[in-house]
Amino acid sequence: MPLTHPETYLADLNDAQREAVLTTEGPLLVIAGAGSGKTRVLTHRVAHLLAACGVEPSEVLAITFTNKAAGEMRERIESMLGPVARAIWILTFHAACGRILRREAPRLGYRSNFTIYDQADQIRLVKQCLEELERDPKRFVPRGIHAQISNAKNQLVGPEEYAARVASFYDQTVADVYGLYQRRLFASNAVDFDDLLMLTVDVLARFPEARERWAKTFRYILVDEYQDTNYAQYELLKLLTGTHGNLMVVGDPDQSIYAFRGADIRNILEFERDFPGTRSIALEQNYRSTNHILGAANAVIAHNRERKEKRLWSELGAGEPVHVVELEDEHAEARFVAAEIAGLVELGYSRREIAVVYRTNAQSRVLEDVLVRQGIDYQVIGGPRFYERAEIKDALSYLQVIDNPYDAVSLLRIANRPRRGLGDTSLARLQSFADGEGISLWEALGRAEEAGLALASLRAAQSFRSLLQSSMAGALDMTVSEVVERTLERSGYLEALEAERTIEARGRIENLEELVGVAREYEDAAEEPSLSSFLQEVSLYSDQDALRDDDGSGQVTLLTLHNAKGLEFRAVFMIGVEEGIFPHSRSVEEGGVEEERRLCYVGMTRAKERLTLTHASRRSLYGRSDANLPSRFLDELPREGVERERLAPASWSGYGARREIAPRAEVPVLSTGDNVRHHTLGAGIVTRIEADGVVTVRFEDGAERRLMLEYAPLERI
DNA sequence: CCCGTGGACGCCCCA
DNA sequence: CGTCCACGGG
C-alpha cells in the first residue's frame, strides 16, 4: 500500500506544479523553464496517480530522454511509494519501443530476439550495400547516405515511399541503398535505432488489435523533454493515446537541441492544436540559478524569433556576475579554466560541483592535458565509449550471433576473431554463395564445402560453426554472465589476448572482465533475465548513462553542451564561445543558428552560482592556427550582471598554477605494468612512462589517464 | 593471410 | 594534428 498521502507530497509544490500534478485526465502540456522543477512534477504526478487515483503501476508509461533519467525518476518514485515503482514502465522512447516490438515483432515477420544495430554497425551495413550496388564510395559517402536514411525513418518514410519521391541521382542511390539496407536488416533479423520507432509505429498502425491492446495497457502516458521528440515519436504517442487522451508532456521549446536527429520543435509548439482540450501550464519559477545567470540566459534566448515568450525568475538573489573572458589561444584558455577551478576548490567547491562544457568533443583534449598536469581529477562524458571498444563489440557480437545467428554483421565481425584462418576471401566466397542461394550467411557457413572454400578455410569454417552451435545449446541453461565467460574462453578470444602479453591486451582483458560484471549486475536487476533482453538493454545504453556519482572529493565533469542537458552544477565554464565553433560553422551555413542559441541557453542555465564564458583570439584547428571572432551570443548578453575581461598572458600566468598544489615529497618509483592505486580513480595498471614524470594509467573502468607523478595521488600496490 | 605504413581526410551534436 | 582505411610487401 502506498506509504504516502496527497497532503504530504503536495505540500512541497508551488501552485503551478501542484496544478500539473492534480490534472490527471486529458491532454496536459507543461511548459517547464530550465530549473523549474519539472522532474519533481513528473515524479509527484506518477505518485499521485498511484497513491490517490487508483491507477495500477502497469498502467503508467513514463518516457524520459536517457536511461539515467529513467533510473533517477524510478528511484524518486520508489522513495515515495516503495517497491511498486519497479513495475512502472519508465523508459526512453527507444527502450519502450524495443519492449513493445519484442512482443509484436512476429506480426512484421521479425523474431522477438532481433538484434539492435548501433551506429557503427549501421554504417558498415550501408557500406556493404554500396559495394554490392557498385556505387562509387567517393561520391556516395556511407555516413551521408546513412544520415539520409535515418532522416527518412524519423519521418516515417519507408523505402518504397522514398523511392517514389526521388528527385535526383543522389536520391536515387539513397533509395536503392535504403531498400537493400532494409532487406539486409530483415534477413539478419536486425533493426537499427530508427527502426525501433518506425517499426513500432508501423505495427500499431497496421494491426488495430495490437494498438488497442497497448493503448488499453497504458492509460496514463507522461513524456519528458517533449521538445526533442521527432515525427515518429509524435505518431507513436497519438496511436497510444488516441482512445483515452491521457497524455502529459513536459518540455521547454527554448531547450530544443536535437533537430539534427529529427526532433521537431513544432511538436511542442502545436501540441494544443494536435490534442484538443489540452490544459496548459507554465512553470516559470526557477529554483536553480541566481538572477544574473538567468538574466544573461534570458537575454540570449530572446534573440530567437521562433519562440514563445517566457521569462524565468528566481528568488535566489542577484548572485555573482557572469564572466566573459578572452584568452590568447586554446592553451591559455585551458590553463585559465584549470586555475579558476583550483581557485573554486579553495573556496570550498567540490570538484563534482564544477563542469566545463563545450560544443564539440574534440575540445576536451587540450583541457585534459592541463588538468592532468595540475592534478585536478576530472571525468569526460562522451569520449571513447566502453561499448564501442573493439573487444567489447567483439564479445557482444559473439553473444548476438549465439542469440540470433542470422545477424550477418555480427557474424562477419567475429568470423576471424581471433584469427582462425577464415579471412576476407573465404568470407566473400561464403557471402556470394549465400546471396546466390538466397540463404543467410549462417546457413552458408553450414554448407561451406559447396561454397568452394579451400581446405584449410573449410576446416576453419566448420569448427567455427560447431563452436557457435554448441554455445547456442549451452546458452539455454546458463546465466548471461556464464555465457559471456564461456564464450570468451571457448572461442579462444581470451587466449589470443593473453598470448599477446602486452599491456594493451591486458587492458582489453580487464574491459572484458568489466563486461562480465555488467552481465552480473543485469542478472541481479532484471525481472526475467535472458540473453536477448540483456543484449537489447546494452544496445540502448548511452553515454550520459555512464555519468557516475563518484565518491571522495569528486571529479570535475567535462562534457558537450548536448550531454549537459538536464544536469546542473554550482559552477559552469563554457569554453570556445567563438564564431565558427559556437555557433558551429556548419550550423550557420545551414540556417541552424537558432538551435545553436538554444544550445547556448541550455548551457548557461546549467549553472547555479557561477557562469564563465571563455573565447580565444587564436585557436588551432586541423593543426592550423586561425583567428576566431567572439561568438555573436556574447554580443547578445546584457550589460548588467556581466563582467568582461581580456587576459593577456602576463597578467595571470602562474596564477593558480602549481603553488595551489604542492608537489609530493615522496614520489613512488614505477615501471610499466605496475599495479597502482589512485585515491579517487581506484586501482589501475601503468601502461606507459614518459621522461618528464608523466605516467599513463589504465584504470579498472577501462579509462586511460595521463598523470603527473609528482602531483597525482598514486601509490604502488 | 597478416601486418605495417602512408596517404587521405576530418570536427558537430546522439538514443 | 590525429585517425582510419586501403593497399602492398612479407
Side-chain angles (χ1 to χ4, degrees):
Chain A
M1 264 289 98
L3 302 169
T4 193
H5 294 282
E7 52 271 24
T8 53
Y9 60 74
L10 292 177
D12 42 293
L13 298 174
N14 67 30
D15 290 347
Q17 291 173 335
R18 193 173 306 121
E19 191 188 347
V21 167
L22 294 175
T23 306
T24 58
E25 307 303 308
L28 172 64
L29 168 66
V30 178
I31 299 290
S36 63
K38 72 184 165 88
T39 309
R40 167 171 294 209
V41 167
L42 282 165
T43 51
H44 282 57
R45 192 165 180 277
V46 172
H48 180 68
L49 284 169
L50 268 56
C53 304
V55 176
E56 293 296 319
S58 60
E59 294 177 315
V60 175
L61 171 62
I63 302 284
T64 57
F65 201 70
T66 62
N67 292 305
K68 179 172 184 278
E72 279 170 7
M73 192 192 262
R74 187 182 304 282
E75 232 166 72
R76 286 168 73 161
I77 295 172
E78 198 169 333
S79 75
M80 293 170 82
L81 298 182
V84 288
R86 289 190 208 148
I88 311 171
W89 277 41
I90 307 177
L91 300 165
T92 63
F93 266 109
H94 290 84
C97 286
R99 280 210 202 172
I100 293 175
L101 218 46
R102 282 193 72 169
R103 307 206 194 157
E104 306 298 341
R107 294 181 197 268
L108 299 174
Y110 280 90
R111 295 155 205 248
S112 66
N113 61 345
F114 54 82
T115 299
I116 300 168
Y117 281 176
D118 70 9
Q119 175 131 337
D121 296 332
Q122 293 167 34
I123 304 240
R124 247 171 124 105
L125 187 56
V126 166
K127 211 166 147 192
Q128 279 174 31
C129 292
L130 277 166
E131 277 164 17
E132 192 169 334
L133 294 168
E134 297 180 335
R135 300 297 154 88
D136 179 9
K138 293 247 158 53
R139 256 194 89 179
F140 303 102
V141 185
R143 211 185 144 90
I145 303 269
H146 175 260
Q148 297 288 321
I149 294 173
S150 174
N151 284 341
K153 288 184 175 182
N154 287 327
Q155 297 299 318
L156 298 177
V157 175
E160 300 82 17
E161 195 182 343
Y162 194 96
R165 289 190 194 173
V166 161
S168 69
F169 182 62
Y170 186 84
D171 277 355
Q172 184 57 53
T173 298
V174 174
D176 295 345
V177 173
Y178 189 4
L180 183 58
Y181 174 83
Q182 281 313 93
R183 288 199 297 280
R184 286 272 176 265
L185 280 175
F186 186 75
S188 288
N189 192 35
V191 304
D192 66 18
F193 277 130
D194 303 311
D195 280 340
L196 287 171
L197 296 166
M198 185 171 78
L199 296 179
T200 302
V201 169
D202 190 39
V203 89
L204 295 183
R206 276 168 47 200
F207 300 91
E209 67 272 24
R211 190 189 69 77
E212 272 159 37
R213 187 151 69 88
W214 290 104
K216 209 181 276 178
T217 302
F218 300 124
R219 286 171 54 214
Y220 294 90
I221 299 183
L222 300 89
V223 183
D224 194 9
E225 308 284 7
Y226 188 69
Q227 77 281 355
D228 283 318
T229 51
N230 61 32
Y231 178 67
Q233 290 161 339
Y234 162 81
E235 277 300 318
L236 177 73
L237 292 172
K238 283 189 88 164
L239 286 165
L240 287 175
T241 60
T243 45
H244 53 68
N246 294 329
L247 172 64
M248 178 224 203
V249 303
V250 185
D252 178 0
D254 289 334
Q255 294 187 62
S256 168
I257 55 174
Y258 282 98
F260 72 90
R261 72 169 203 223
D264 191 342
I265 195 169
R266 283 177 307 181
N267 284 348
I268 193 163
L269 295 177
E270 293 171 12
F271 184 85
E272 288 156 301
R273 207 203 60 198
D274 292 334
F275 296 87
T278 291
R279 179 106 158 246
S280 295
I281 297 169
L283 307 180
E284 293 187 313
Q285 180 173 0
N286 173 296
Y287 294 93
R288 179 186 296 153
S289 312
T290 57
N291 277 306
H292 281 330
I293 292 170
L294 280 187
N298 280 335
V300 170
I301 198 66
H303 284 78
N304 270 4
R305 302 185 61 109
E306 287 175 46
R307 84 179 274 266
K308 276 188 183 172
E309 176 70 12
K310 162 164 61 67
R311 277 208 107 72
L312 286 179
W313 57 278
S314 147
E315 288 177 347
L316 299 174
E320 289 284 317
V322 172
H323 286 267
V324 176
V325 184
E326 175 173 349
L327 286 308
E328 182 86 357
D329 58 20
E330 74 271 23
H331 301 286
E333 181 182 55
R335 289 196 300 271
F336 169 77
V337 169
E340 289 283 300
I341 289 171
L344 288 175
V345 170
E346 285 214 332
L347 281 177
Y349 279 68
S350 159
R351 284 188 282 273
R352 86 170 70 81
E353 296 170 319
I354 303 170
V356 185
V357 297
Y358 36 79
R359 179 65 232 272
T360 69
N361 275 312
Q363 286 170 262
S364 73
R365 181 180 253 124
V366 181
L367 195 64
E368 286 187 63
D369 281 348
V370 177
L371 292 178
V372 166
R373 278 178 215 292
Q374 309 259 346
I376 299 174
D377 282 345
Y378 65 89
Q379 60 168 335
V380 185
I381 307 300
R385 310 170 188 198
F386 181 71
Y387 289 98
E388 285 172 8
R389 289 169 185 273
E391 64 276 16
I392 300 299
K393 285 218 71 177
D394 288 343
L396 289 175
S397 292
Y398 266 101
L399 300 179
Q400 295 283 12
V401 171
I402 289 166
D403 186 51
N404 168 27
Y406 299 100
D407 173 356
V409 169
S410 299
L411 187 59
L412 279 173
R413 182 179 179 99
I414 58 168
N416 204 27
R417 240 173 269 184
R419 309 257 131 89
R420 52 170 68 90
L422 199 54
D424 289 344
T425 34
S426 303
L427 287 170
R429 210 164 280 174
L430 281 169
Q431 181 72 66
S432 68
F433 175 71
D435 291 346
E437 296 283 304
I439 58 174
S440 68
L441 188 63
W442 166 246
E443 288 162 315
L445 198 60
R447 295 163 60 185
E449 70 280 8
E450 290 173 63
L453 261 59
L455 189 64
S457 310
L458 180 61
R459 290 267 156 73
Q462 283 163 343
S463 80
F464 178 50
R465 186 176 152 94
S466 62
L467 164 77
L468 290 173
Q469 271 174 327
S470 78
S471 297
M472 286 172 205
L476 297 174
D477 43 39
M478 277 191 281
T479 65
V480 175
S481 58
E482 281 167 351
V483 177
V484 179
E485 281 179 314
R486 241 173 78 121
T487 304
L488 288 171
E489 271 175 30
R490 297 202 37 211
S491 63
Y493 197 96
L494 269 187
E495 205 184 336
L497 280 178
E498 276 157 8
E500 274 190 42
R501 303 214 169 275
T502 61
I503 302 300
E504 285 73 20
R506 189 149 165 211
R508 294 207 183 95
I509 292 170
E510 281 163 14
N511 287 335
L512 290 169
E513 279 161 4
E514 173 71 22
L515 183 66
V516 175
V518 171
R520 287 222 184 87
E521 271 171 38
Y522 161 80
E523 282 155 18
D524 293 342
E527 286 161 37
E528 288 176 47
S530 75
L531 186 55
S532 300
S533 81
F534 171 69
L535 289 169
Q536 296 203 4
E537 196 165 293
V538 162
S539 306
L540 297 172
Y541 202 80
S542 83
D543 243 18
Q544 213 186 52
D545 305 331
L547 199 101
R548 47 167 190 257
D549 303 316
D550 57 346
D551 45 18
S553 56
Q555 299 169 313
V556 175
T557 303
L558 273 49
L559 73 182
T560 63
L561 287 152
H562 283 88
N563 269 322
K565 189 168 80 159
L567 305 177
E568 60 178 32
F569 301 89
R570 280 177 75 193
V572 169
F573 295 88
M574 194 187 293
I575 63 172
V577 190
E578 293 151 33
E579 284 294 300
I581 291 179
F582 190 32
H584 194 274
S585 51
R586 230 157 102 184
S587 302
V588 177
E589 286 159 25
E590 292 164 11
V593 174
E594 297 221 338
E595 174 145 318
E596 296 283 299
R597 192 175 281 111
R598 291 192 291 268
L599 197 50
C600 185
Y601 176 77
V602 167
M604 293 174 76
T605 53
R606 299 310 95 197
K608 294 161 87 167
E609 299 170 10
R610 286 167 190 268
L611 174 62
T612 306
L613 312 173
T614 63
H615 62 103
S617 27
R618 299 199 68 79
R619 177 179 301 270
S620 45
L621 217 69
Y622 287 112
R624 202 177 59 240
S625 176
D626 281 317
N628 284 337
L629 290 171
S631 169
R632 67 192 72 187
F633 303 146
L634 296 176
D635 297 334
E636 296 166 2
L637 292 169
R639 218 160 244 205
E640 198 194 338
V642 176
E643 276 180 15
R644 295 169 191 265
E645 54 190 316
R646 172 188 216 143
L647 290 185
S651 67
W652 63 278
S653 63
Y655 160 64
R658 291 200 178 173
R659 67 167 188 267
E660 306 279 341
I661 310 141
R664 295 194 293 172
E666 279 179 47
V667 173
V669 180
L670 294 176
S671 54
T672 310
D674 281 350
N675 286 305
V676 290
R677 178 174 302 283
H678 184 279
H679 78 84
T680 51
L681 299 169
I685 179 164
V686 176
T687 56
R688 193 166 165 224
I689 298 207
E690 289 163 54
D692 53 354
V694 176
V695 294
T696 305
V697 178
R698 190 196 301 275
F699 288 98
E700 280 172 334
D701 62 354
E704 279 214 338
R705 290 283 169 68
R706 292 179 73 230
L707 302 166
M708 279 291 267
L709 205 46
E710 213 178 349
Y711 299 96
L714 269 185
E715 55 176 336
R716 212 171 134 186
I717 52 174

